[in-house]
Amino acid sequence: MGNTLGIRKYDYVEFYVGSAKQSAYWFARALGLEIKGYLGPETGHRDRVSYYLSRGELAFMVTSALSPESAEIINFISMHGDGVKRFALEVDCVETAFRYAVEHGGIPVRKPEVMKDGQGLVNEAAIRLYDDSEILFVNRDNYKGIVRPGFDQSPMVWDLHCEQPDLLYIDHIVGNVRTNEMNLWEDYFNRVLDFETFVNFGPGDITTKYSALLSKVVRSKDNLIKNPINEPFEGLRMSQIEEFIKEYRGSGIQHVAIRTNNIMKAIKAMRLNGVEFLQVPDTYYDQLRGRNLPISESIDDLQELGILVDFEGEGYLLQLFTKPIVDRPTFFFEIIQRRGKSEGFGQGNFQALFEAIELDQQKRGNLI
Ligand code: FE2
């Protein structure tokens, strides 16, 4: 079973950041990735620096500007802070995917382009997503080099002695949008990429005493690609989605979820690497013990590492969110393990995480 656009997988996620070198260090150490590629003046690019980091199927790129003329990067950062500029989808054919997307209402930002060097060629094209983000279609079947022409081996060989969390690949990518924009972007995904709506959390589903959100999950019809979209819902005080919109200055990507098949090991390693996670209240685990759930993990171990568990479909989910990894309370990572046939998003975990984020929001003085 395939999907209409010939999407094979999430490829990589690119962040625009203030200092690519320092961000590359964080990504390498926190997530246990290797710096595989570098683009900058030494490789013929005078306006920017990019590092490409990966391990197995998981890959990220961090890019920063070298001069005031690099307006695209500088404007993004001055507006949104460090954040996700684009995520790449590997497709069978960039031309075909781009043509389908644009014919169905996709906003083109980069026409199909072939980049060549001695290692072969890479095809890329992009459409717009949210305010200032992009979905990049990429194919490098005929390329033997690193990522794409312009990249070379990294000049940096850091021996970081980090713990290896053994993260696998991207599970889903979440956007936060303004009031009344969720249906618009749901429709955009469904028309432009021929996705379908999979989950719909309506009014009252995810709510605290003070605030609430609405959420829909769109996915490719073969369930390879999942893109939840959150929107604030009216509450007594500012919801965390409104806080994001205010701090990010608009609609954009809130978190990337990374799949693991051993969340205990992953969280333990990441904590030792210095990554901060959301605090889960002890009362959550007291309630969990009372429910007598058929899970293979010990609740004491889950509590020690602060991992959440929720039943969904014919299996269960283990999840945890990091604190924001950037200066503004905007972007964070999620670590997720799916046990059995659990392809969705548990409402109980969503609720618990919503509450945990709200606690931090309160500390920032933004629960007003
Ligand atoms: Fe998520």
Side-chain angles (χ1 to χ4, degrees):
M1 182 169 128
N3 56 65
T4 314
L5 274 80
I7 299 168
R8 296 175 183 169
K9 60 171 186 171
Y10 283 116
D11 191 5
Y12 65 87
V13 175
E14 182 174 5
F15 293 75
Y16 279 177
V17 296
S19 167
K21 188 170 186 172
Q22 293 196 355
S23 292
Y25 177 88
W26 188 92
F27 275 80
R29 180 163 175 82
L31 306 180
L33 304 177
E34 282 174 52
I35 300 179
K36 297 269 176 66
Y38 168 83
L39 173 150
E42 297 86 343
T43 71
H45 292 260
R46 307 211 68 82
D47 70 325
R48 65 182 59 203
V49 164
S50 292
Y51 291 88
Y52 175 75
L53 302 102
S54 73
R55 189 171 188 275
E57 294 281 286
L58 184 66
F60 294 102
M61 195 183 285
V62 289
T63 296
S64 63
L66 281 181
S67 76
E69 283 77 49
S70 314
E72 188 217 357
I73 302 166
I74 288 174
N75 292 345
F76 181 96
I77 292 167
S78 79
M79 187 74 167
H80 308 298
D82 287 8
V84 175
K85 173 62 186 176
R86 57 181 63 87
F87 63 83
L89 297 176
E90 186 185 307
V91 295
D92 293 335
C93 172
V94 168
E95 281 272 353
T96 310
F98 180 79
R99 195 179 325 117
Y100 182 95
V102 172
E103 278 173 8
H104 290 80
I107 304 163
V109 289
R110 219 176 117 202
K111 289 187 176 152
E113 195 182 334
V114 183
M115 290 169 293
K116 291 182 190 163
D117 68 8
Q119 304 285 323
L121 58 91
V122 172
N123 299 76
E124 288 186 355
I127 58 167
R128 195 181 125 197
L129 180 66
Y130 307 132
D131 283 9
D132 211 2
S133 311
E134 293 171 11
I135 299 172
L136 182 78
F137 300 120
V138 62
N139 180 289
R140 63 174 79 88
D141 287 351
N142 300 306
Y143 194 61
K144 291 196 207 70
I146 303 163
V147 205
R148 70 168 130 86
F151 277 82
D152 208 339
Q153 301 270 343
S154 169
M156 242 108 64
V157 185
W158 287 323
D159 197 358
L160 295 173
H161 299 289
C162 62
E163 298 292 319
Q164 184 47 255
D166 282 334
L167 301 172
L168 296 178
Y169 50 83
I170 292 170
D171 184 90
H172 59 272
I173 297 180
V174 180
N176 279 354
V177 302
R178 300 176 190 86
T179 299
N180 288 336
E181 282 185 350
M182 182 176 68
N183 290 341
L184 192 147
W185 289 108
E186 171 201 21
D187 181 57
Y188 187 83
F189 273 107
N190 290 349
R191 267 188 306 120
V192 172
L193 301 183
D194 196 30
F195 279 14
E196 63 188 5
T197 304
F198 168 52
V199 181
N200 183 356
F201 292 120
D205 284 341
I206 311 290
T207 179
T208 71
K209 195 164 62 171
Y210 298 122
S211 70
L213 62 73
L214 305 176
S215 188
K216 283 184 175 176
V217 182
V218 293
R219 66 171 178 188
S220 59
K221 289 174 180 165
D222 54 6
N223 200 32
L224 269 179
I225 307 294
K226 293 183 270 284
N227 288 88
I229 311 162
N230 301 324
E231 170 179 305
F233 187 66
E234 56 191 71
L236 288 174
R237 299 188 183 176
M238 185 196 283
S239 86
Q240 61 190 255
I241 311 302
E242 281 173 275
E243 186 196 32
F244 177 98
I245 302 289
K246 180 173 157 274
E247 300 284 341
Y248 184 85
R249 301 283 199 281
S251 301
I253 288 164
Q254 178 212 33
H255 75 266
V256 170
I258 307 174
R259 187 83 161 255
T260 169
N261 57 19
N262 186 347
I263 198 166
M264 295 285 195
K265 182 179 182 211
I267 302 293
K268 207 177 280 178
M270 289 173 73
R271 283 189 185 279
L272 286 168
N273 292 344
V275 178
E276 295 176 290
F277 289 90
L278 284 185
Q279 197 80 36
V280 180
D282 284 337
T283 49
Y284 174 86
Y285 296 96
D286 297 341
Q287 283 167 13
L288 209 57
R289 284 189 185 87
R291 285 166 66 191
N292 268 329
L293 301 171
I295 56 173
S296 27
E297 293 77 11
S298 110
I299 293 182
D300 287 351
D301 290 348
L302 293 176
Q303 182 168 13
E304 195 188 324
L305 293 166
I307 296 166
L308 296 161
V309 59
D310 201 5
F311 275 74
E312 194 284 324
E314 293 165 37
Y316 63 97
L317 298 170
L318 299 149
Q319 285 170 296
L320 189 54
F321 286 176
T322 70
K323 294 203 174 203
I325 64 155
V326 293
D327 299 322
R328 302 187 197 184
T330 51
F331 182 85
F332 56 84
F333 279 111
E334 169 185 338
I335 307 301
I336 180 167
Q337 181 174 8
R338 297 179 183 275
R339 286 248 194 225
K341 277 193 171 172
S342 159
E343 292 299 334
F345 297 84
Q347 188 178 340
N349 271 7
F350 203 159
Q351 174 71 30
L353 290 163
F354 188 69
E355 286 169 12
I357 294 177
E358 195 170 88
L359 276 179
D360 277 12
Q361 185 188 342
Q362 193 164 22
K363 287 181 202 153
R364 290 190 285 267
N366 278 343
L367 190 64
I368 46 177

